[in-house]
Amino acid sequence: MALLQISEPGQSPEPHQRKIAVGIDLGTTNSLVATTRGASVETLPDASGEHLLSSVVHYGENGITVGKVARDQAVSDPLNTIFSVKRLMGRGIDDVKRLGQDLPYNFVAASGGMPKIQTRMGDESPVAISAEILKVLKVRAELSLDAEIDGAVITVPAYFDDAQRQATKDAAAVAGLHVLRLLNEPTAAAVAYGLDTAAEGITAVYDLGGGTFDISILRLTRGVFEVLSTGGDSALGGDDFDHAIAEWIVSQAGGPAVLNHSLQRKLLLLARQVKEQLTDVDSVSVEVEELDWKGVLTRDQFEHLAGPIIASTVKACRRALRDADVQAGDIDDIVLVGGSTRVPLVRQKVEQLFGKTPLANIDPDRVVAIGAASQAEVLVGNKSGDDLLLLDVIPLSLGLETMGGLVEKVIHRNTTIPVAMAQEFTTFKDGQTAMAIHVVQGERELVDDCRSLARFELRGIPPMVAGNARIRVVFQVDADGLLNVSATEVSTGAQASIQVKPSYGLSDQDVAEMIKSSFQYAGEDKEARALAEQKLEAERLLEGLSAALEQDGECLLSEEERALLQEGMARLQDLKGRGTTAEITQGVEILGRASEEFAQRRMDVSINRALTGQNIEELEE
């Protein structure tokens, strides 16, 4: 008799075939790991029942500790206790210096551009420090599930660039995790709410964590999450509230301009406690023995300190709405993510902007990990891919440098990823056998105003007349937002490619400035591009005419005709160096008309040569 295989709803009928997948929220302040159990998704606790893991690593005399135990060493051993390492991921040492806050660490430059922090156990990179946090989460998951992990979805801020995303993947590899996908944090939150409420419409996800801020505008339709636009700052968050409170305490106490590392860390920990208490009470008593000061911080005073930081997030929200081409009134739901959204003023400003009460049904500290775990179930193969489709976007346009220092955009910003786009280019000079390919990122028209990502060369192009070669360049951005560029000469199949993996990232302030400047200088950029294009056209005409005169000038032109053409070429050469777009355009037209008769004579000679010795009747056949 045949037996029925019975299983719990949402579980595989053959448990031994089920793969173990987790979602990880690698946060600036706290980190979590979540997984799907049966039909529900839940975060996993440690042995003491604590779900949140403090994103702090301490390099002690007896080894490395992570979490609350590490955090407790911050005051006594600040140089070896690393907080907020996420802010350093994918950044260069110059970027770290521009963060605007005194970090109590000793930084050293390392090969590749990413800084390292001096600890008693050696110089450690942000990647290695983040890997220690991921290792603890991995062990926690394996102990809770009594099985090895087959794959993980790790969340990142939507505005993380290629370098920051790659640094996150590198940290996961060091921790022994197989990354199924890097998922934008706001998208993960939308996944969690979308699965729970089956909402349709347009959703704004406001994600203010300890060290990063993201705003994403998403369209949710029947399980399809499409990101219409993103914005934010990967160096703005609850840490900035802490610094503002700490600076206020020092100013009230008349403290020194430069604090020692231990006192600085103590003040930041105290500031965090005060901030959290002010969520529920109107005032908090504060005392700092080292400064011989005690006082009271009211919620109104805190909101005055936090106001400019929150205002920055509101500006980013307005930019994201403009990019998505929607009005605040078009938003159906606002999802709050991140512990810093518990600040009453944050919720008040978000409600004022969008005109409706934001959702906070799911714990804002856990919602990202829950969404990541839901997506991990799909990607590991335990659920049908039809259950959920995520469409993220790239934050800045990607393109190539073309002749004249111009940018040819291949993939425009806010394009849905994963995506692959191709475009054909050609050679500029006769007989050209190689091409230098320069990949850039940004919204401006000239290369000098954009960010250089990578350079590589395509060799093996057959020597041809300028403009005859066909070079196909393909840009591929994967689901993690990482870029690969390849170039192929169509006739021979000669190929070259590069994975764009910069050693450190672009600050999000720079990203915002690049977008802002693209609008601010749109008119100037258009004129600059037109000028560059006309200079290029003039150079083409001058090079072509010079080659023609050298080859056929003496036999097809009189001395007077040659002198007139050479005089016109000299005038155009002069205009190319100092003239306006209109002047160069006019110069090209004048020289073009002056050389028409010469071009016609050369064509006649070419035709006569081709027909010499040919029978007309044979040609007609």
Coordinates of all heavy atoms in Angstrom, one line a residue, residues 26 55 76 83 104 106 139 143 171 178-179 292 333 346 349 357 387 433 468 493 496 508 520 542 564 572 583 593 612:
L26 N 24.0 43.0 8.8 CA 25.3 43.4 9.4 C 25.2 44.9 9.6 O 25.5 45.7 8.7 CB 26.4 43.0 8.3 CG 27.8 43.4 8.8 CD1 28.2 42.6 10.0 CD2 28.8 43.0 7.6
S55 N 27.7 45.3 17.3 CA 28.7 45.2 16.3 C 30.1 45.8 16.8 O 30.5 46.8 16.2 CB 28.2 45.9 15.0 OG 27.1 45.4 14.6
S76 N 38.0 51.1 29.0 CA 39.4 50.7 29.6 C 40.4 50.5 28.5 O 41.6 50.6 28.7 CB 39.2 49.5 30.5 OG 38.7 48.4 29.7
F83 N 34.4 50.0 17.3 CA 33.0 50.3 17.1 C 32.7 50.8 15.6 O 33.6 51.3 14.9 CB 32.5 51.5 18.0 CG 32.2 51.1 19.4 CD1 33.3 50.8 20.3 CD2 31.0 51.0 19.9 CE1 33.1 50.5 21.6 CE2 30.7 50.7 21.2 CZ 31.8 50.4 22.1
P104 N 38.7 57.1 17.7 CA 39.8 56.8 18.7 C 40.6 55.6 18.3 O 40.9 54.7 19.1 CB 39.0 56.6 20.0 CG 37.7 56.0 19.6 CD 37.4 56.6 18.2
N106 N 44.2 54.2 15.8 CA 45.4 54.6 15.1 C 45.3 53.9 13.7 O 45.4 52.7 13.6 CB 46.7 54.1 15.8 CG 46.8 54.9 17.2 OD1 46.5 56.1 17.2 ND2 47.3 54.2 18.2
V139 N 28.2 31.0 13.7 CA 28.3 30.0 14.8 C 26.9 30.0 15.5 O 26.4 28.9 15.8 CB 29.4 30.3 15.8 CG1 29.3 29.4 17.0 CG2 30.8 30.1 15.1
L143 N 24.6 26.6 15.7 CA 24.2 26.0 17.0 C 22.7 26.0 17.1 O 22.1 25.0 17.6 CB 24.8 26.8 18.1 CG 26.4 26.7 18.3 CD1 26.9 27.6 19.4 CD2 26.8 25.2 18.6
A171 N 34.3 40.2 3.5 CA 34.2 39.9 4.9 C 33.5 38.6 5.1 O 33.8 37.7 5.9 CB 33.5 41.0 5.6
H178 N 28.9 31.5 2.4 CA 28.5 31.5 1.0 C 27.5 32.6 0.8 O 26.3 32.4 1.3 CB 28.1 30.1 0.5 CG 27.5 30.2 -0.9 ND1 28.2 30.7 -2.0 CD2 26.3 29.8 -1.4 CE1 27.4 30.6 -3.0 NE2 26.3 30.1 -2.7
V179 N 27.8 33.6 0.1 CA 26.8 34.7 -0.1 C 25.9 34.4 -1.2 O 26.4 34.4 -2.4 CB 27.5 36.1 -0.3 CG1 26.5 37.2 -0.5 CG2 28.4 36.4 0.9
D292 N 33.8 66.6 36.3 CA 33.3 67.2 37.5 C 32.1 68.1 37.2 O 31.9 69.3 37.5 CB 34.4 68.1 38.2 CG 33.9 68.6 39.6 OD1 33.1 67.9 40.2 OD2 34.4 69.7 40.0
D333 N 2.3 53.5 1.9 CA 2.9 53.1 3.3 C 4.3 53.6 3.5 O 5.0 53.7 2.5 CB 2.9 51.6 3.4 CG 1.5 51.0 3.4 OD1 0.7 51.3 4.3 OD2 1.1 50.2 2.5
V346 N 12.1 61.9 15.0 CA 12.3 61.2 13.7 C 10.9 60.8 13.1 O 10.5 61.1 12.0 CB 13.2 60.0 13.8 CG1 13.1 59.2 12.5 CG2 14.6 60.4 14.0
K349 N 8.8 63.9 12.1 CA 9.2 64.5 10.8 C 8.8 63.6 9.6 O 8.4 64.2 8.6 CB 10.7 64.8 10.8 CG 11.2 65.9 11.8 CD 10.6 67.2 11.5 CE 11.1 68.3 12.4 NZ 10.5 69.6 12.2
T357 N 0.8 58.2 9.2 CA 1.5 57.5 10.2 C 2.4 56.4 9.7 O 1.8 55.5 9.0 CB 0.6 57.0 11.3 OG1 -0.2 58.0 11.8 CG2 1.3 56.3 12.5
D387 N 7.8 33.0 -6.0 CA 7.2 33.5 -4.8 C 7.5 35.0 -4.6 O 6.8 35.8 -4.0 CB 7.7 32.8 -3.5 CG 7.1 31.4 -3.5 OD1 6.1 31.1 -4.3 OD2 7.6 30.6 -2.7
T433 N 45.1 49.5 -33.8 CA 45.0 48.1 -33.5 C 44.8 47.8 -32.0 O 44.7 46.7 -31.6 CB 46.4 47.4 -33.9 OG1 47.4 48.0 -33.1 CG2 46.6 47.5 -35.4
N468 N 35.7 52.0 -39.2 CA 35.3 50.7 -39.8 C 35.2 49.6 -38.8 O 34.4 48.7 -38.9 CB 36.1 50.3 -41.0 CG 35.7 51.0 -42.2 OD1 34.9 52.0 -42.2 ND2 36.3 50.6 -43.4
G493 N 36.8 38.6 -32.9 CA 36.5 38.0 -31.6 C 37.5 38.3 -30.6 O 37.4 37.8 -29.5
A496 N 38.6 41.5 -24.3 CA 39.3 41.9 -23.0 C 38.1 42.2 -22.1 O 37.1 42.7 -22.5 CB 40.2 43.1 -23.2
D508 N 29.0 58.9 0.3 CA 27.7 59.1 -0.2 C 27.4 60.6 -0.3 O 26.5 61.0 -1.1 CB 26.7 58.5 0.7 CG 26.8 57.0 0.6 OD1 26.5 56.4 -0.5 OD2 27.1 56.4 1.6
Q520 N 22.7 71.0 -11.6 CA 23.2 72.4 -11.4 C 23.9 72.9 -12.7 O 23.8 74.0 -13.1 CB 24.0 72.5 -10.2 CG 24.5 73.9 -9.9 CD 25.3 74.0 -8.6 OE1 25.4 73.0 -7.8 NE2 25.9 75.1 -8.3
L542 N 40.7 67.9 -40.2 CA 42.1 68.3 -40.4 C 43.0 67.1 -40.7 O 43.8 67.1 -41.6 CB 42.6 69.0 -39.2 CG 42.0 70.4 -39.0 CD1 42.4 71.0 -37.6 CD2 42.4 71.4 -40.1
L564 N 45.2 77.7 -50.6 CA 44.0 78.1 -50.0 C 43.5 77.1 -49.0 O 43.0 77.5 -47.9 CB 42.9 78.3 -51.1 CG 43.0 79.6 -52.0 CD1 42.0 79.6 -53.2 CD2 42.8 80.8 -51.1
L572 N 41.3 76.8 -39.1 CA 40.5 75.9 -38.3 C 41.3 75.4 -37.1 O 40.8 75.2 -36.0 CB 40.0 74.7 -39.2 CG 39.1 73.7 -38.4 CD1 37.9 74.4 -37.8 CD2 38.7 72.6 -39.4
E583 N 31.9 79.1 -33.5 CA 33.0 79.5 -34.4 C 33.7 78.3 -35.0 O 34.0 78.2 -36.2 CB 34.0 80.3 -33.6 CG 33.6 81.7 -33.3 CD 34.5 82.5 -32.3 OE1 35.3 81.8 -31.6 OE2 34.4 83.7 -32.3
R593 N 33.3 72.9 -47.2 CA 32.9 73.4 -48.6 C 34.1 73.6 -49.5 O 34.1 73.3 -50.7 CB 32.1 74.7 -48.4 CG 30.6 74.4 -47.9 CD 29.8 75.6 -48.2 NE 30.2 76.8 -47.5 CZ 29.9 77.1 -46.2 NH1 29.0 76.4 -45.5 NH2 30.4 78.2 -45.6
T612 N 39.7 50.9 -64.8 CA 40.7 50.7 -65.8 C 40.9 49.2 -66.1 O 41.0 48.3 -65.2 CB 42.1 51.2 -65.3 OG1 41.9 52.6 -65.1 CG2 43.1 51.0 -66.4

